[in-house]
């Protein structure tokens, strides 16, 4: 079964090299540096149902580059703790624009300007850039690490709905490694095992199982405090649009603002299933695999990680409604709110105030950081199908108590050619499944319920799961938000892919020699 | 003409002053529930039901929405309200979160125990009836009608109750404050209120709220630009008592930063320190820039500016759906946290010597006259910009530069 699976996989992989739907990055895409030029301009975004809508957004232009398209959302700024960041705004829109940075230590004026001291004339909450070419400079000091945002401080109800916002990620300046002990209930990877984006984290000892992290969301309070350490990070910035409002801004007519009601929802500027498409990021990697179909929506949201890895989710809500965001597959642990770590004394070792949840109620204007991890712990059966003789070595982070376990519950396997499914010794009633020619598979079904294995599929099916991993839907639990203008699926939906660890003997990409299970080979190092 | 202008000054200076909750320190209030009208900044007049404080000697008798801020003496735990009802419907008062026994009133229709009011009722057009609430716990609470809440609360029958265990403390010594402010979020659907106001006197009247769609959003009963400032002075720890009497969730958000007194001065972002919710003290405070103020919620949050060395005028606004006046912006739930240097007025609106809400040539002339006649008013005329922030805190000296700055402001040149 396994051999067949892997052989099949090689053939499928050869076909898929060109498409490579999952050579998508799970690290943060954005702009680094400490001086940015933002151009506020209008453009169009594309929706999976074929619609396009006007938006207003910020685009970033570096020295020597030409004018860039505005993007939705605005550029993610990735900066380092302690730096002074300058944002030069050039406004090409027909009304004034300004930028505010809630939660960040702004050095330029944070009080509004009231022309002639009349409250009724208030236009912007911060100094503004005049329409049609006006400029304004903002400066802030990235005093503490965390997840923050910027948005327009002018005509807020309109300009934030049009798209004038973006994320700011502040990385800790401390590069001190943080160590954590992996509980003995899990299989310890070998010493030197590289984990995380770019392989930046590693196992340093197996007795006890110890992992060293070089990446943390917040400054580690002590050498043993690994509570905000992570292997991979994902930006999860949600927003909404009411197409009637966007059309009114583009074509005129009338619109009752009190009746604004979204019908499109976005993660990182894209509606599902475009959330799972390829990103388009200029200048980040030497070989840019751009997505020409969504030129103004460069970011995707396609988390891919290995079992046992810690994924940092940077949630930001730039919409105007609350969204209940849910991670299938496991709880996540909320570790920070608005860039403030959940400790009784942030910045020093204090009482741990973090909590576990599987749905966060993300309010508009809030950021939340959470850590997610998956190991298949306590499923009650061996997810790797290690029952076949000889019994295999446990996979990294495999839950040892379930290793080689098959009794009690045997997950269904679709029988070939009309043979009934085998009955497990402890099953009181046999489960007789339809044969393969009578079934329709889910999009991500590899043919086998086991991690890393595939099985024959009917002609034309499959191909969306080249590494035979598990996919969990990470989505808003307000079901209406899973649509694109009434069409399902859409909106606030993406799939988190759990990719089996690369093992010796795995299939490789014939073109590059990359182990197709090695996400690390595909992603550029963390910025 | 001059007398008229002078008469205006004290009244219109009110928006410039810090908001302190008007309240009686006594534990016995006389309140009157009556109809009134609120006028929105766009001129729309909306019928409302509110409470007037008619306590002999301290109440001003004005029907307000929200109702007057009630409190008891520090350490006191009993509140008595003598409630008169001038509305055509029965009303009652409940205080969610206070462990006070209720005395529900039932429909007298022989159909069984159907509750009409959650607490002791005051029938239509009657009163006063004495309502006693004992065993009060410290914290910030909403008082609201306990009768037909789906209709009476949107009409405006709500207000804030503040209970302090000791003077200057929210819950204990660790939650002591130098300054406190009450900010009550609420909303109005003008269509709903007009229908209720018109039909409430008809026996058996009812109106569904299925099409409830608020268009106006208020802080302490006012929509921007009429919202009052929140005062959080430099060097002080300010307690902001937040309440939401609406049926939507709001997200109060602060933006801005100050320089602190550490050497070299470090900027600090304005951040809420949430100490308690619904009158329950958290074991440890939470630090957030945006708060989730759900419908019916109360939060006690500190703005700690004890190490601030620079003044500020920081926006505080709702980031969800409440920052417009019937779609027109800026409006709704927008105000400013005014952080002044000790003894100074640092508001960027300063310079309005006449108090008419706008800086014109007349204000520059008033300032000039003030210089000449020695009637210079520093709080409105001393506008030298602060070196770090540019805010017009003034330098404490009455001089011609102040007049010139006000003149430049009047011509829209934005010197501060």
């Amino acid at each position: 079964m396994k051999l067949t699976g892997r052989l099949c996989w090689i053939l499928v992989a050869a076909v898929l090299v060109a498409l490579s739907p999952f050579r998508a990055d799970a690290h943060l895409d954005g702009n680094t540096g400490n001086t940015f030029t933002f151009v506020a301009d209008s453009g169009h975004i594309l929706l999976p149902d074929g619609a396009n809508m006007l938006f207003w957004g910020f685009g970033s232009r570096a020295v020597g580059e030409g004018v860039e398209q505005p993007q939705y959302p605005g550029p993610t700024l990735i900066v380092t703790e302690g730096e002074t960041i300058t944002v030069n705004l050039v406004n090409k829109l027909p009304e004034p624009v300004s930028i505010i940075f809630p939660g960040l230590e702004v050095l330029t004026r944070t009080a509004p300007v009231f022309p002639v001291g009349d409250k009724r004339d208030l236009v912007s909450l911060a100094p503004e850039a005049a329409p049609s070419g006006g400029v304004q400079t903002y400066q802030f000091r990235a005093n503490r690490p965390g997840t923050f945002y910027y948005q327009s401080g002018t005509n807020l109800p309109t300009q934030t709905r049009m798209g004038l916002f973006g994320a700011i990620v502040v990385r800790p300046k401390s590069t001190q490694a943080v160590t954590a002990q992996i509980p003995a209930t899990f299989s310890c990877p070998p010493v030197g095992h590289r984990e995380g984006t770019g392989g930046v984290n590693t196992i340093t000892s197996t007795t006890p199982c110890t992992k060293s992290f070089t990446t943390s969301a917040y400054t580690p309070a002590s050498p043993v405090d690994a509570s905000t350490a992570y292997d991979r990070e994902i930006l999860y910035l949600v927003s909404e649009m009411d197409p009637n409002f966007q059309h009114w801004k583009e074509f005129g007519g009338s619109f009752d603002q009190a009746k604004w009601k979204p019908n499109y929802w976005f993660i990182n500027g894209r509606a599902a299933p475009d959330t799972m498409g390829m990103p388009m990021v200029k200048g980040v990697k030497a070989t840019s695999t751009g997505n020409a179909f969504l030129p103004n929506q460069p970011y995707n949201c396609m988390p891919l990680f290995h079992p046992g890895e810690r994924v940092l989710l940077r949630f930001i809500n730039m919409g105007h409604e609350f969204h209940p965001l849910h991670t299938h597959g496991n709880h996540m642990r909320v570790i920070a709110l608005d860039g403030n770590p959940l400790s009784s004394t942030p910045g020093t070792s204090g009482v741990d105030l973090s909590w576990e949840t599987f749905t966060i109620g993300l309010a508009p204007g809030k950021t939340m950081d959470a850590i997610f991890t998956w190991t298949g712990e306590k499923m009650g059966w061996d997810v790797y199908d290690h029952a076949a003789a000889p019994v295999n070595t446990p996979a990294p982070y495999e839950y040892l108590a379930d290793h080689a376990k098959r009794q009690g519950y045997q997950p269904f396997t679709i029988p070939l050619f009309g043979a009934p499914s085998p009955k497990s010794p402890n099953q009181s009633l046999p489960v007789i499944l339809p044969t393969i020619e009578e079934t329709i598979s889910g999009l991500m079904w590899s043919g086998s319920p086991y991690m890393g294995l595939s099985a024959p599929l009917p002609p034309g099916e499959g191909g969306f799961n080249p590494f035979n991993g598990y996919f969990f839907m990470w989505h808003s639990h307000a079901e209406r938000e899973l649509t694109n203008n009434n069409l399902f699926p859409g909106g606030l939906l993406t799939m988190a892919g759990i990719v089996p660890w690369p093992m010796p003997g795995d299939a490789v990409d014939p073109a590059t020699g990359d182990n197709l299970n090695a996400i690390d080979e595909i992603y550029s190092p963390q910025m | 003409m001059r007398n008229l202008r002078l008469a205006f000054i004290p009244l219109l200076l009110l928006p410039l002053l810090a908001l302190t909750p008007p309240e009686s320190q006594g534990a016995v209030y006389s309140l009157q529930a009556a109809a009134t009208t609120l006028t929105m900044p766009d001129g729309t007049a909306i019928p409302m039901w509110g409470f007037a404080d008619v306590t002999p000697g301290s109440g001003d008798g004005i029907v307000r929405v929200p109702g007057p801020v009630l409190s008891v003496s520090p350490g006191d735990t009993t509140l008595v309200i003598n409630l008169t009802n001038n509305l055509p419907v029965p009303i009652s008062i409940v205080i969610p979160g206070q462990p006070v026994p209720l005395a529900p009133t039932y429909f007298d229709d022989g159909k069984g125990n159907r509750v009409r009011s959650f607490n002791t009722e005051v029938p239509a057009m009657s009163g006063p009836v004495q309502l006693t609430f004992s065993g009060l716990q410290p914290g910030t609470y909403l008082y609201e009608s306990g009768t037909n809440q789906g209709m009476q609360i949107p009409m405006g029958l709500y207000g804030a109750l503040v209970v302090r265990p000791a003077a200057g403390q929210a819950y204990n010594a660790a939650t002591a404050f130098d300054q406190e402010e009450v900010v009550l979020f609420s909303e109005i659907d003008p269509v709903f209120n007009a229908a209720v106001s018109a039909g409430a006197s008809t026996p058996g009247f009812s109106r569904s709220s299925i099409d409830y769609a608020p268009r106006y959003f208020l802080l302490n009963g006012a929509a921007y630009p009429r919202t009052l400032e929140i005062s959080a002075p430099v060097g002080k720890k300010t307690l902001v008592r937040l309440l939401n009497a609406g049926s939507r969730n709001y997200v109060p958000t602060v933006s801005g930063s100050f320089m602190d007194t550490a050497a070299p001065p470090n900027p600090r972002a304005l951040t809420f320190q949430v100490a308690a919710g619904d009158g329950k003290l958290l074991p440890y405070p939470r630090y957030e820039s945006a708060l989730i103020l759900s419908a019916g919620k109360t939060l006690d949050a500190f703005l700690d500016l004890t190490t601030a060395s620079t003044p500020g005028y920081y926006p505080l606004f709702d980031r969800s759906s409440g920052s417009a006046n019937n779609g027109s912006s800026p409006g709704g739930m927008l105000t400013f946290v005014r952080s002044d240097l000790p003894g100074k007025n640092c508001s960027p609106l300063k310079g309005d010597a006449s108090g008419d809400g706008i800086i014109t040539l007349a204000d520059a002339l008033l300032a000039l006259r003030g210089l000449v006649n020695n009637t210079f008013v520093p709080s409105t005329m001393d506008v030298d910009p602060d070196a770090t922030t540019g805010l017009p805190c003034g330098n404490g000296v009455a001089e011609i530069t102040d007049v010139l700055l006000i003149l430049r402001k009047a011509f829209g040149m934005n010197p501060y």
Side-chain angles (χ1 to χ4, degrees), chain A residues 100-123 125 141 143-144 149 151 155-158 160-161 165 256-259 317-322 337-338 340-346 351 353 355 361-366 368, chain B residues 15 213-215 224-229 248-251 253-257 259 265-271 284-292 312-315 317 319-321 323-324 326-327 329-330 334 336 348-349 357-359 389-391 409-412 414 416:
Chain A
I100 59 174
F101 305 84
L104 281 165
E105 283 85 357
V106 179
L107 300 173
T108 46
R109 181 178 169 125
T110 58
V113 174
F114 291 94
V116 304
D118 189 340
K119 289 179 84 172
R120 292 168 298 187
D121 291 339
L122 178 71
V123 178
L125 299 179
R141 197 174 300 156
N143 266 20
R144 50 205 180 92
Y149 69 89
Q151 65 161 63
N155 194 6
L156 270 71
T158 293
T160 46
R161 288 186 166 97
F165 50 75
D256 183 356
Q257 299 243 18
K259 294 268 169 81
N317 184 350
M318 285 286 95
H320 285 268
E321 301 195 333
F322 287 71
L337 303 175
D338 301 333
N340 297 293
L342 281 162
S343 157
S344 59
T345 47
V351 174
L353 301 177
W355 69 83
L362 191 63
K366 264 201 109 52
M368 273 189 169
Chain B
R215 288 176 179 272
Y224 188 85
R226 299 204 187 129
T227 47
L228 295 188
E229 296 159 346
R248 282 192 179 177
N249 305 322
Y250 296 105
V251 185
T253 306
V254 281
S255 170
S257 19
M259 303 294 275
N266 283 317
R268 290 230 186 284
L270 217 61
T271 304
Y284 298 96
R286 276 201 318 256
Y287 298 87
E288 305 180 65
S289 320
L291 304 181
I292 299 179
Y313 200 72
Y314 310 111
F317 56 95
R319 181 58 178 72
S320 68
S321 58
S323 48
N326 196 14
S329 155
L334 166 66
F336 294 89
L349 293 158
I358 183 171
I359 297 175
T389 62
L391 290 172
K409 188 77 180 170
F411 288 128
N414 292 333
Y416 54 79

Side-chain angles (χ1 to χ4, degrees), chain A residues 205-243:
Chain A
S205 161
T206 53
T207 50
C209 190
T210 309
K211 178 169 171 178
S212 171
F213 291 86
T214 61
T215 46
S216 285
Y218 295 88
T219 306
S222 70
V224 297
D225 179 0
S227 59
T228 72
Y230 63 89
D231 290 295
R232 300 182 192 274
E233 62 183 332
I234 276 285
L235 179 67
Y236 207 110
L237 191 159
V238 303
S239 57
E240 323 118 355
M241 279 191 182
D242 176 344

Side-chain angles (χ1 to χ4, degrees), chain B residues 212-291:
Chain B
Y212 181 73
R215 288 176 179 272
Y216 296 97
F217 305 91
L218 315 173
L219 297 177
N220 292 338
Y224 188 85
R226 299 204 187 129
T227 47
L228 295 188
E229 296 159 346
I230 295 168
S231 174
V234 164
K236 305 279 186 208
K237 191 173 178 189
T238 300
L239 170 63
V240 184
R241 299 180 185 268
L242 298 151
L243 307 96
N244 184 357
S247 49
R248 282 192 179 177
N249 305 322
Y250 296 105
V251 185
T253 306
V254 281
S255 170
S257 19
F258 55 88
M259 303 294 275
D260 79 354
T261 48
N266 283 317
R268 290 230 186 284
L270 217 61
T271 304
F272 285 115
Q273 218 183 84
V274 181
D278 301 329
K280 295 292 180 210
L281 187 62
L282 296 175
Y284 298 96
R286 276 201 318 256
Y287 298 87
E288 305 180 65
S289 320
L291 304 181

